[in-house]
């Protein structure tokens, strides 16, 4: 249920923030309340929220003469964190830039996914010495990321894509990220398997990641 008072509360909080930022010097609750023509408790409520958000700083100011120290507020440096975000637009810009590079862009996307996949693996866990262990751990990781995976014989089926709209627009890049992520994760597990290839929409409602054994490492190669 939408709170009918939320737009009013948001406008009042913005007014309190503007009053703090526009002041030539730190101001107290009573001064701000007088400038805005509202009750001091209303101002105090919004100031507490703004301090918690990091938009306003609060400190105690020593009195000019006799009397109690007073609490004053100043605007914290930085942009307002309460505004809208456009992360999908950012993702479209970045993915579109990689797509324009064709094969190089796909390679860069896979490398980025591989690095992230390795980062997501818990380094404290022991190596995945068997294929079954590797598949189970990779499936759990993909589930945490929202892929709704299901292990099959020699493959993992991905029944959901967390980046579906981007994949529909720039599938080769997004799928390269996914493939790299799985390869990076399996390599970080020291698994005997790797993600051989990814078949986008192998079925109308899912993609299929094919797994294959890792070849023997050359002697002295890093694990």
């Amino acid at each position: 249920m939408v709170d009918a008072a939320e737009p009013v509360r948001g406008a009042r909080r913005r007014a309190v923030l503007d009053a703090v930022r526009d002041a030539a010097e730190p101001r107290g609750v009573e001064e701000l309340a007088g400038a805005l023509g509202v009750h001091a408790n209303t101002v105090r409520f919004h100031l507490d929220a703004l301090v918690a958000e990091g938009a306003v700083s609060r400190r105690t100011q020593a009195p000019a003469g006799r009397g109690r120290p007073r609490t004053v507020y100043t605007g914290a440096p930085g942009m307002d964190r309460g505004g809208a975000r456009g992360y999908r637009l950012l993702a479209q810009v970045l993915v579109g830039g990689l797509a324009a590079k064709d094969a190089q862009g796909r390679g860069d996307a896979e490398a980025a996914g591989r690095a992230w996949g390795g980062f997501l693996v818990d380094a404290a866990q022991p190596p995945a010495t068997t294929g079954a262990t590797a598949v189970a751990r990779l499936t759990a990781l993909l589930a945490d990321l929202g892929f709704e995976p299901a292990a099959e014989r020699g493959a993992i089926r991905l029944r959901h894509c967390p980046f579906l709209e981007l994949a529909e627009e720039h599938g080769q890049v997004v799928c390269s990220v996914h493939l790299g992520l799985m390869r990076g994760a399996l390599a970080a597990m020291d698994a005997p398997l790797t993600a051989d290839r990814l078949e986008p929409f192998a079925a109308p409602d899912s993609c299929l990641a094919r797994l294959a054994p890792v070849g023997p490492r050359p002697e002295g190669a890093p694990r």
Side-chain angles (χ1 to χ4, degrees):
M1 183 177 179
V2 177
D3 186 351
E6 190 61 35
V8 175
R9 189 179 297 122
R12 179 72 69 200
R13 188 161 300 170
R14 181 74 217 191
V16 171
L17 177 60
D18 288 343
V20 172
R21 287 180 169 172
D22 292 343
E25 57 186 21
R27 305 184 77 178
V29 171
E30 296 294 343
E31 294 170 292
L32 292 166
L36 293 168
V38 296
H39 196 279
N41 286 341
T42 300
V43 172
R44 188 174 289 107
F45 168 78
H46 290 297
L47 285 171
D48 287 344
L50 290 167
V51 169
E53 293 170 5
V56 166
S57 297
R58 174 170 49 205
R59 65 183 176 86
T60 302
Q61 188 179 63
R66 298 179 63 184
R68 298 173 57 188
R70 68 180 189 129
T71 301
V72 293
Y73 298 84
T74 54
M79 290 187 176
D80 179 11
R81 293 185 175 273
R85 300 291 192 266
Y87 294 120
R88 182 174 173 183
L89 174 60
L90 174 62
Q92 288 175 314
V93 170
L94 296 176
V95 170
L98 289 172
K101 295 181 179 180
D102 297 324
Q104 180 186 341
R106 294 193 297 273
D108 291 345
E110 184 186 334
R114 186 186 291 268
W116 191 245
F119 173 77
L120 292 175
V121 171
D122 184 357
Q125 286 189 309
T129 55
T130 68
T133 301
V135 169
R137 286 175 59 183
L138 179 60
T139 301
L141 173 61
L142 292 170
D144 288 343
L145 296 175
F147 285 94
E148 295 186 10
E152 300 183 1
R153 185 178 179 85
I156 296 178
R157 187 169 297 279
L158 308 176
R159 296 169 296 184
H160 176 71
C161 179
F163 319 108
L164 182 60
E165 290 77 15
L166 286 174
E168 290 173 338
E169 187 175 357
H170 297 296
Q172 290 185 322
V173 170
V174 175
C175 292
S176 293
V177 172
H178 295 168
L179 181 62
L181 187 150
M182 289 184 279
R183 287 175 172 171
L186 288 168
M189 296 176 200
D190 205 10
L193 299 174
T194 188
D196 182 58
R197 65 186 186 277
L198 180 62
E199 298 176 8
F201 302 106
D205 60 348
S206 61
C207 302
L208 197 63
R210 299 284 185 182
L211 305 177
V214 173
R217 291 185 179 87
E219 188 174 350
R223 296 181 69 82

